[in-house]
Amino acid sequence: MSQPKSLPTSPPEPQPKPNGDYQTLVRDNYRRLSQALPGFIPRREQNYLVAEIGKVLLGRYDRARRILVAEAGTGIGKSLAYLQAGIPWARMHQKKLVISTATLALQEQLVDKDLPLFLPHCQPAFRFVLAKGRARYCCARRLEALARGEAQIGLFDTVQALSPNQQQQLAELWQAFMAGRWPGDRDSWPQPIAPALWQQLQAERHSCQPALGHQLCPFHLARAELEQADVIVVNHALLLADLSMGGGIVLPEPEQCLYILDEAHHIAPVAREQGSARLALRQSRRQLEQFSKWQGGLNKLLGPEGQSALGRLQQSLGQLIPALNGVYRQLFTALQRRELEPDAQGCLRFSPGDLPAGLDELLSVLKEDAQGFCRALGPLHSQLSEQLKLKPSQAATTEAALATLSQQQLHGEQLRDGAELLLRTTGPKQTPPARWLELAQHNKQEKQDKQELLLCATPLAVGHLLEQWCWSRAAAVVMVSATLTALNDFGYFRRAVGLRADDGSHYLRLNSPFDYQSARLIIPPLTCEPTDPDFDQMLVEQIPLWLKEQGASLVLFSSYRQMNQAAEALRAKGLSLLVQGEASRQALLQLHKMKCDGKQPSVLFGTGSFAEGLDLPGHYLTNLIITKLPFAVPTSPVEEAMAEWISLCGGNPFMQLAMPEASRKLIQACGRLLRTETDSGRIVLLDKRLLSRRYGPALLDALPPFTRELG
């Protein structure tokens, strides 16, 4: 969390009373902003978005459920719109405005550009801050210990030796921190901090000891700043992690928040990730065995009064370790007997409601024993915390013991929650989680029974979680993105995030102000489809034709394999290419822009990650080539499970899952071409299925109104 931005230096205008005229405030702020910006041009769509957000916040559509889902096309200026509508309402109602994004680029735009732009013209005045996760901050005690040459973090977790360069950087970090020149967060240090070094410095929940005080703790100092901020910018992962723990852990409680969820199409996948579990069975057992051997060190710290609690801990370990081993042996034996057959990637998915015989009983035992282990750790943690206060001379050893206990507590909770998710039963209309077994890469020098096995589970439907965590609790929620509809309908997004058509949520769709007719959408006559064996060779022949005499080109592929194969073949023909993965994204884009500025042809090759969030306005992109419709191949366990469940319910996975997702991704990919109101160019789609298949017209009609040239 960076320092809150200071208020304007000029005297603030009188603050409105809570019952002041909200609409007058919004209009006055807009007037000041428009008069202050040179060459300001009103945007009708932006003003309409401001008005609709305001109506939702005022309860004009539903007083009990102030939720807006708004698709705002590129160029509308949605961030400035929701700032104009959201900040006055939140300030008047003593709420926090929490803006959550999916990408770092949008966070930086908000904190470095949009919020400072609006700040001098807004009444009521506000303070804003960027919130980051705990791991982005150093632990002051770890930093001090490492700077003094102490190499112990936990009682059986020792740090790795530091290189001379790392030692020098560590000394610089410590000196800057003590001098107040560095607040202790990774992002504000001017030079990159090596991951290996930062891993030893970063703050972690399991090693944080409130009894030691937080006067110098960078994370807790930053957290205190949140209480003074009116606007908090955060990413989806941190927001949903906080909400999944009940809210109010790092961020304010949902009831005190107006949430603006920008790039909202990422919300459901991030929520799914938050609810996932991965149990590394063999590694977990080794950690517990190591912890069991270490317990003797607690005797000296706790003395006679701790023997009873230590006995209960030893008893719980005596149950939990065999329970883990039982699950491992059951799966390993089934694999040896070929009762379970993983695929070529070492993955075996369990069908809904179908676990291997006997595994559910073993997981039930594991769940109960993990819960017992967590309960046994509690009294020991309390006793050590008391010792930390009573015996400051033993603070270093006691703190290390507390960190170890906290780490084991987290480990026990992960085992308990993972077993619970794997065992979860669902009703006839409820979506079961995806559950699968992964075989880690096997070291041939090890015995076969040393193979690591991972039990994994992911909830497929997270809408009920989002309703429980946020929709039903928040003061208000505004979800915005340039792509929320699929096939011209909000239904796919609504189902993903747990909203209903009749629950009082309001929906809005605003088209981009760009002149799409000035851009050409070309589907040339092609000889084959992507499913044909000759398709890769056809791409090698077609792509050079559409690169000829073009200045700035972006070619999007559906896979790294296809991209690298095409790049190799085209380079053999003499083409100069900038290929994703051969340098950092930033370095590739800088080189691309340098070539464009020098009036040299430049060709970028990229995959799906280049189809979203890539901003190449004006002469930096005039020729976009999409090699294939972005249909996802259901190869991951989660995608396979979702398709299987839709089929079991009598649905059509292609129409309900693949088509809406492909439509959304295709709109995103086409959105790379026009980034400003004066941009122009062409899009070349090298997939004839848009013309030859029955679903083609639906995908075409969902695209912006480009001038079409169909082969």
Side-chain angles (χ1 to χ4, degrees):
M1 304 166 192
S2 60
Q3 294 289 335
K5 307 300 179 181
S6 59
L7 298 173
T9 55
S10 58
E13 297 183 16
Q15 298 296 297
K17 297 178 181 179
N19 61 353
D21 188 344
Y22 164 74
Q23 291 171 300
T24 300
L25 272 177
V26 173
R27 283 195 295 266
D28 289 347
N29 288 342
Y30 176 79
R31 174 180 50 80
R32 283 189 291 269
L33 180 66
S34 61
Q35 292 175 350
L37 297 181
F40 179 85
I41 300 175
R43 297 180 181 179
R44 184 184 62 178
E45 295 85 356
Q46 185 183 65
N47 293 338
Y48 191 73
L49 179 57
V50 172
E52 288 298 293
I53 294 173
K55 289 178 183 178
V56 169
L57 296 179
L58 292 171
R60 298 280 174 84
Y61 294 110
D62 192 312
R63 284 191 169 275
R65 193 171 177 89
R66 301 171 199 242
I67 296 179
L68 172 66
V69 177
E71 180 177 87
T74 307
I76 285 176
K78 59 183 180 296
S79 55
L80 201 53
Y82 58 62
L83 294 180
Q84 290 182 73
I87 292 175
W89 186 88
R91 296 285 285 118
M92 290 178 68
H93 293 82
Q94 290 81 51
K95 305 298 183 186
K96 301 281 190 179
L97 177 62
V98 177
I99 306 172
S100 183
T101 80
T103 61
L104 178 62
L106 182 52
Q107 282 188 338
E108 291 175 343
Q109 176 189 316
L110 285 163
V111 172
D112 298 334
K113 180 184 174 184
D114 295 338
L115 283 161
L117 174 68
F118 187 50
L119 179 62
H121 315 295
C122 178
Q123 290 299 325
F126 64 92
R127 295 163 67 94
F128 66 91
V129 70
L130 174 64
K132 293 177 285 191
R134 190 190 299 260
R136 304 306 295 178
Y137 297 88
C138 78
C139 170
R141 295 183 67 84
R142 284 187 173 189
L143 178 60
E144 180 181 11
L146 287 168
R148 292 179 175 176
E150 300 172 11
Q152 194 177 47
I153 289 179
L155 289 190
F156 59 83
D157 286 332
T158 55
V159 301
Q160 299 176 356
L162 300 176
S163 68
N165 288 339
Q166 289 175 331
Q167 290 174 343
Q168 180 180 352
Q169 189 173 47
L170 181 65
E172 293 172 354
L173 291 168
W174 172 242
Q175 291 167 7
F177 180 72
M178 290 305 295
R181 291 182 280 106
W182 178 54
D185 69 300
R186 187 176 185 178
D187 305 296
S188 66
W189 189 252
Q191 291 85 34
I193 301 176
L197 176 60
W198 187 256
Q199 188 175 3
Q200 300 182 36
L201 290 175
Q202 70 185 25
E204 295 175 334
R205 181 164 67 94
H206 67 74
S207 62
C208 186
Q209 305 305 328
L212 296 173
H214 296 304
Q215 292 82 359
L216 290 177
C217 173
F219 171 72
H220 284 88
L221 288 172
R223 182 178 175 183
E225 294 170 4
L226 292 180
E227 299 178 5
Q228 305 301 319
D230 306 299
V231 179
I232 302 169
V233 180
V234 68
N235 64 31
H236 291 342
L238 179 56
L239 171 65
L240 289 168
D242 192 76
L243 290 172
S244 69
M245 293 185 286
I249 309 301
V250 174
L251 303 172
E253 295 181 350
E255 291 79 4
Q256 303 304 314
C257 293
L258 158 57
Y259 292 109
I260 305 288
L261 307 182
D262 206 338
E263 301 174 312
H265 56 281
H266 287 286
I267 286 292
V270 176
R272 192 175 295 126
E273 185 65 27
Q274 288 293 332
S276 299
R278 289 173 65 86
L279 304 185
L281 299 174
R282 191 166 174 270
Q283 178 184 346
S284 293
R285 186 185 67 199
R286 284 202 309 268
Q287 289 179 356
L288 291 170
E289 288 171 345
Q290 192 177 15
F291 177 61
S292 181
K293 294 175 183 177
W294 165 81
Q295 280 184 89
L298 285 173
N299 282 315
K300 298 177 182 178
L301 286 172
L302 294 173
E305 62 271 21
Q307 297 308 304
S308 175
L310 275 172
R312 289 192 292 272
L313 177 62
Q314 189 61 48
Q315 182 181 3
S316 71
L317 278 167
Q319 296 171 328
L320 180 55
I321 293 173
L324 262 173
N325 194 50
V327 175
Y328 180 90
R329 297 304 308 174
Q330 164 92 358
L331 292 169
F332 179 77
T333 301
L335 289 166
Q336 288 290 93
R337 294 175 178 172
R338 298 190 178 278
E339 296 168 4
L340 299 176
E341 287 285 351
D343 60 20
Q345 285 73 42
C347 182
L348 171 68
R349 186 177 61 82
F350 305 128
S351 296
D354 182 20
L355 287 175
L359 185 59
D360 51 351
E361 291 89 347
L362 292 171
L363 285 171
S364 296
V365 173
L366 176 62
K367 175 186 170 184
E368 293 302 318
D369 289 344
Q371 179 62 32
F373 175 63
C374 292
R375 284 196 299 267
L377 288 168
L380 290 168
H381 199 285
S382 299
Q383 291 179 33
L384 283 174
S385 296
E386 190 64 25
Q387 291 278 28
L388 196 61
K389 300 174 186 176
L390 298 176
K391 299 180 180 179
S393 61
Q394 297 181 353
T397 306
T398 306
E399 181 188 357
L402 277 166
T404 300
L405 289 184
S406 297
Q407 193 173 26
Q408 294 303 312
Q409 180 80 29
L410 180 62
H411 185 201
E413 291 169 359
Q414 290 170 341
L415 290 172
R416 177 199 63 200
D417 296 343
E420 193 278 329
L421 183 57
L422 285 157
L423 287 165
R424 184 170 298 166
T425 57
T426 53
K429 294 185 179 180
Q430 295 176 312
T431 309
R435 300 174 295 180
W436 68 96
L437 174 67
E438 284 184 15
L439 278 63
Q441 289 294 325
H442 182 57
N443 186 340
K444 294 181 179 179
Q445 295 180 348
E446 290 184 340
K447 295 181 180 178
Q448 193 120 35
D449 61 357
K450 302 293 185 182
Q451 172 79 60
E452 178 62 283
L453 304 179
L454 295 94
L455 272 174
C456 310
T458 294
L460 297 180
V462 294
H464 66 289
L465 296 176
L466 291 168
E467 176 71 30
Q468 173 188 332
W469 295 344
C470 189
W471 311 154
S472 63
R473 296 180 59 190
V477 181
V478 176
M479 289 176 261
V480 294
S481 172
T483 49
L484 289 180
T485 59
L487 301 172
N488 291 310
D489 187 77
F490 281 105
Y492 180 68
F493 175 78
R494 188 170 58 238
R495 288 188 295 272
V497 299
L499 299 177
R500 302 190 316 275
D502 60 350
D503 65 6
S505 302
H506 184 59
Y507 295 84
L508 174 68
R509 191 178 186 191
L510 295 172
N511 294 325
S512 169
F514 293 168
D515 180 14
Y516 285 103
Q517 293 288 330
S518 66
R520 299 153 59 206
L521 173 63
I522 302 171
I523 304 177
L526 302 169
T527 56
C528 60
E529 296 183 351
T531 52
D532 296 331
D534 296 330
F535 182 74
D536 288 350
Q537 180 57 37
M538 187 204 73
L539 287 182
V540 173
E541 296 167 358
Q542 282 286 327
I543 290 173
L545 299 178
W546 299 103
L547 294 177
K548 193 177 298 181
E549 299 180 357
Q550 295 296 312
S553 301
L554 170 64
V555 186
L556 294 174
F557 293 84
S558 61
S559 70
Y560 273 100
R561 178 203 63 79
Q562 194 176 66
M563 177 184 70
N564 292 328
Q565 185 175 312
E568 182 180 0
L570 293 176
R571 279 171 169 163
K573 293 185 175 185
L575 271 71
S576 174
L577 307 172
L578 301 174
V579 181
Q580 181 182 358
E582 296 183 354
S584 71
R585 179 181 173 123
Q586 183 180 6
L588 285 174
L589 295 180
Q590 285 179 343
L591 186 54
H592 173 77
K593 290 180 178 180
M594 286 174 57
K595 294 178 72 175
C596 293
D597 290 338
K599 301 190 183 305
Q600 301 177 44
S602 182
V603 181
L604 274 170
F605 271 26
T607 60
S609 61
F610 271 40
E612 181 180 0
L614 195 66
D615 192 22
L616 295 171
H619 69 289
Y620 294 126
L621 180 59
T622 55
N623 185 44
L624 173 64
I625 301 174
I626 301 173
T627 60
K628 184 179 175 183
L629 292 175
F631 283 115
V633 180
T635 54
S636 79
V638 174
E639 291 166 335
E640 289 177 350
M642 184 67 80
E644 182 178 44
W645 179 248
I646 290 173
S647 297
L648 289 173
C649 294
N652 183 325
F654 180 76
M655 295 305 296
Q656 293 176 237
L657 199 63
M659 270 284 286
E661 191 64 17
S663 174
R664 185 183 65 79
K665 289 181 177 178
L666 182 60
I667 294 169
Q668 281 182 336
C670 291
R672 295 316 96 209
L673 181 66
L674 302 184
R675 305 303 298 171
T676 73
E677 294 178 355
T678 58
D679 285 357
S680 61
R682 72 182 187 189
I683 301 170
V684 182
L685 257 166
L686 299 178
D687 193 331
K688 65 182 294 185
R689 290 178 296 179
L690 276 169
L691 304 178
S692 63
R693 300 296 180 94
R694 284 186 298 174
Y695 57 74
L699 291 174
L700 274 173
D701 291 344
L703 292 174
F706 301 110
T707 297
R708 297 180 184 179
E709 299 179 14
L710 308 182

